[in-house]
Amino acid sequence: PDPAIQDDIASLKDAYSDYFKIGCSCTGSEFAQGATKDLIKKHYNSLTLGNELKPDSVLDPALSQKYVAETGDDTMPQISLNEADEMLKFAGENKIPLRGHVLVWHSQTPTWWFREDFKSDGAYVSKEEMNKRIDWYIEKVGKHFDTKFPGLIYAWDVVNEQASDAGGIRMGTDWAAIYGGSTEYILQAFKSADQYLAKDTILFYNDYNDCDPVKAATICRFLKEIREVLT
């Protein structure tokens, strides 16, 4: 049975309104329960979708391969945001700002996105080709939200978890297969986000274990390079 939330208590978002937002993460399966919606409306003033804005939920392989077959152009990955739209509509109707998560990540990102003709068994594309795909993807996602849900997303995790726990950039990923130890794809993602996302959007580099001095040094290097390309 669908449970009910405890409603006769103070709202967290109100209690901390003078200090910071109170955010939560929610997946589509959790969102299907009515009590989840009630809990979000009661306590939170920032929402992050658990999986529905990650690349493997947004990138559409069938549409992308169809586009290549029709045009011969494999620089423009096609997207579908059907999984996210119901949750975004709820956030918009209830005036709950949303933090987008995530545009560039090594996990939950299909390998076909990195390969020729958007085929999982294709050869890896060049850095130049991948830069174009990053740019196109972020432009498409940004335009979708600006058109359908203007002003809803106040922040984006542009790049996620690309610092290794041992220091240096994360290796052993599809990104590393194309870019090696270069941060070029990180910088490209932030340049595209700065260009295409709404101008007041806060752009984040997101990671974990950033209290570790070795990893923190790598993250600080990333941030320094990002600042340099955006100024």
Side-chain angles (χ1 to χ4, degrees):
D2 200 4
I5 69 166
Q6 184 177 354
D7 199 40
D8 59 345
I9 56 175
S11 165
L12 287 173
K13 66 183 179 184
D14 294 339
Y16 289 94
S17 61
D18 291 339
Y19 303 98
F20 42 73
K21 292 183 183 297
I22 299 293
C24 70
S25 174
C26 180
T27 64
S29 58
E30 294 165 336
F31 188 74
Q33 195 168 63
T36 299
K37 300 181 182 72
D38 293 338
L39 195 68
I40 292 171
K41 289 188 288 185
K42 170 72 174 176
H43 288 295
Y44 300 103
N45 53 11
S46 178
L47 176 65
T48 300
L49 308 195
N51 292 308
E52 288 74 16
L53 292 180
K54 291 174 180 174
D56 64 354
S57 294
V58 176
L59 287 161
D60 191 309
L63 288 179
S64 297
Q65 290 178 16
K66 182 174 183 288
Y67 184 84
V68 172
E70 291 175 349
T71 67
D73 185 350
D74 68 352
T75 63
M76 302 180 182
Q78 303 299 294
I79 67 170
S80 172
L81 286 152
N82 295 335
E83 290 185 44
D85 275 356
E86 181 185 354
M87 300 172 74
L88 292 165
K89 183 180 178 183
F90 165 84
E93 289 174 346
N94 291 281
K95 297 180 172 55
I96 302 171
L98 192 131
R99 177 167 173 158
H101 179 78
V102 54
L103 295 170
V104 168
W105 194 23
H106 63 282
S107 183
Q108 289 183 248
T109 302
T111 193
W112 60 260
W113 189 35
F114 302 88
R115 298 173 182 268
E116 292 180 353
D117 298 327
F118 300 126
K119 294 181 178 178
S120 297
D121 58 354
Y124 281 110
V125 299
S126 67
K127 290 191 294 184
E128 293 74 21
E129 177 86 358
M130 199 64 214
N131 286 343
K132 292 177 182 177
R133 292 184 179 186
I134 294 170
D135 191 65
W136 177 254
Y137 176 71
I138 293 176
E139 180 183 10
K140 290 276 283 186
V141 171
K143 285 183 176 178
H144 174 88
F145 291 118
D146 280 348
T147 301
K148 196 166 185 178
F149 304 101
L152 179 62
I153 298 185
Y154 72 93
W156 266 102
D157 291 329
V158 179
V159 176
N160 193 45
E161 298 176 0
Q162 293 310 292
S164 167
D165 289 341
I169 201 165
R170 182 183 289 273
M171 302 300 290
T173 69
D174 287 310
W175 293 109
I178 294 174
Y179 292 91
S182 169
T183 58
E184 185 176 343
Y185 66 97
I186 297 174
L187 304 182
Q188 178 62 57
F190 273 92
K191 286 190 288 185
S192 298
D194 185 57
Q195 180 176 355
Y196 297 119
L197 301 183
K199 292 306 177 185
D200 57 349
T201 306
I202 306 169
L203 307 181
F204 282 97
Y205 171 83
N206 191 61
D207 218 317
Y208 64 95
N209 285 355
D210 54 3
C211 57
D212 180 87
V214 175
K215 190 168 188 177
T218 297
I219 294 171
C220 287
R221 175 169 66 87
F222 291 171
L223 296 177
K224 182 175 183 294
E225 293 179 11
I226 291 164
R227 283 183 177 274
E228 287 173 352
V229 301
L230 296 185
T231 56

